């Protein structure tokens, strides 16, 4: 801050202009398995028109895919196997939204399920940041409506109809709520949506 007076900051001006946050980058990295009508398939093998299994809507037609470059050195979020019901370790982009459920959400926030950005789970049961070691591509999956898809065995990932962003269909955890969740809960699996 710059002020003409040492004691009066009412006319103070910022020294630096506001720093804009980079646009969120969502999508699945190559090798991530997605449940489809034809079984589990790597995201890079999906094409518009494929039928993808969703958490609450059954099979839905994939409208489009949008590939984006993820530069070497960009943060990725590593989720160890089993932490979010994923049957194998998986890397996510920091802004990729994940659906959580479990007793901790019900106890803490009176929610059956909620969506949180992957970066807000860092520190939860071994979820950690690490840099991409090479340039990668990320596939953003687009549907006619907001959907949550099954990936990597049981991981539930949000895919927005127009490429991410907030949806009225789901509750969203704030970063502060996500921190409380990380500190007080165990594994967060979306088994509530699976038929027994």
């Amino acid at each position: 801050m710059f002020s003409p007076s040492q004691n009066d900051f009412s006319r103070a001006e910022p020294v630096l202009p506001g720093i804009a946050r980079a646009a969120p980058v969502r999508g699945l990295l190559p090798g991530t398995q997605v449940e489809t009508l034809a079984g589990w398939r790597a995201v890079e093998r999906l094409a518009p028109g494929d039928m993808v299994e969703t958490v609450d809507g059954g099979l839905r037609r994939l409208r489009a895919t949008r590939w984006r470059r993820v530069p070497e050195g960009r943060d990725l979020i590593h989720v160890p196997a089993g932490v979010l019901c994923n049957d194998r370790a998986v890397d996510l982009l920091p802004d990729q939204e994940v659906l959580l459920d479990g007793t901790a959400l019900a106890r803490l926030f009176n929610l059956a399920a909620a969506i949180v950005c992957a970066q807000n789970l860092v520190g939860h049961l071994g979820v950690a940041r690490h840099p991409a070691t090479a340039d990668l591509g990320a596939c953003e999956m687009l549907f006619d409506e907001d959907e949550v898809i099954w990936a990597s065995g049981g991981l539930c990932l949000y895919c927005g109809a127009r490429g991410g962003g907030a949806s009225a269909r789901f509750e969203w955890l704030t970063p502060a709520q996500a921190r409380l969740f990380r500190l007080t809960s165990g594994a967060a699996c979306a088994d509530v949506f699976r038929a027994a």
Side-chain angles (χ1 to χ4, degrees):
M1 300 285 275
F2 174 76
S3 176
S5 166
Q6 291 181 347
N7 300 321
D8 178 14
F9 290 94
S10 63
R11 298 181 308 162
E13 297 176 20
V15 173
L16 296 173
I19 299 172
R21 186 179 185 281
V25 178
R26 299 167 178 88
L28 283 62
L29 299 173
T32 303
Q33 298 289 307
V34 174
E35 190 174 14
T36 71
L37 179 63
W40 291 93
R41 294 178 55 198
V43 68
E44 61 270 25
R45 294 185 55 219
L46 297 179
D50 286 347
M51 298 300 287
V52 176
E53 191 70 47
T54 65
V55 169
D56 62 346
L59 290 166
R60 293 289 185 253
R61 188 170 311 282
L62 181 61
R63 183 171 47 85
T65 57
R66 181 173 24 200
W67 282 89
R68 297 180 180 187
R69 181 179 169 267
V70 177
E72 180 178 353
R74 166 95 185 211
D75 275 353
L76 301 177
I77 306 301
H78 180 77
V79 180
V83 171
L84 299 175
C85 292
N86 44 315
D87 62 1
R88 65 195 71 149
V90 64
D91 288 333
L92 301 173
L93 292 172
D95 294 313
Q96 177 60 54
E97 296 97 345
V98 177
L99 180 71
L100 305 175
D101 82 346
T103 56
L105 283 175
R107 185 182 74 248
L108 293 169
F109 311 116
N110 198 31
L111 297 173
I115 291 181
V116 64
C117 285
Q119 64 191 334
N120 291 329
L121 293 172
V122 170
H124 175 67
L125 300 176
V127 176
R129 286 184 186 274
H130 72 90
T133 57
D135 282 357
L136 301 170
C139 178
E140 189 170 17
M141 299 170 59
L142 304 173
F143 296 89
D144 289 330
E145 297 179 357
D146 296 346
E147 299 292 352
V148 175
I149 64 165
W150 295 104
S152 299
L155 178 63
C156 295
L157 300 177
Y158 175 78
C159 298
R162 287 166 294 287
S167 165
R169 286 180 58 195
F170 304 102
E171 296 289 335
W172 294 72
L173 292 187
T174 66
Q177 288 173 315
R179 183 174 187 275
L180 184 59
F181 174 82
R182 286 193 317 265
L183 296 173
T184 61
S185 65
C189 298
D191 289 334
V192 70
F193 296 105
R194 288 273 191 199

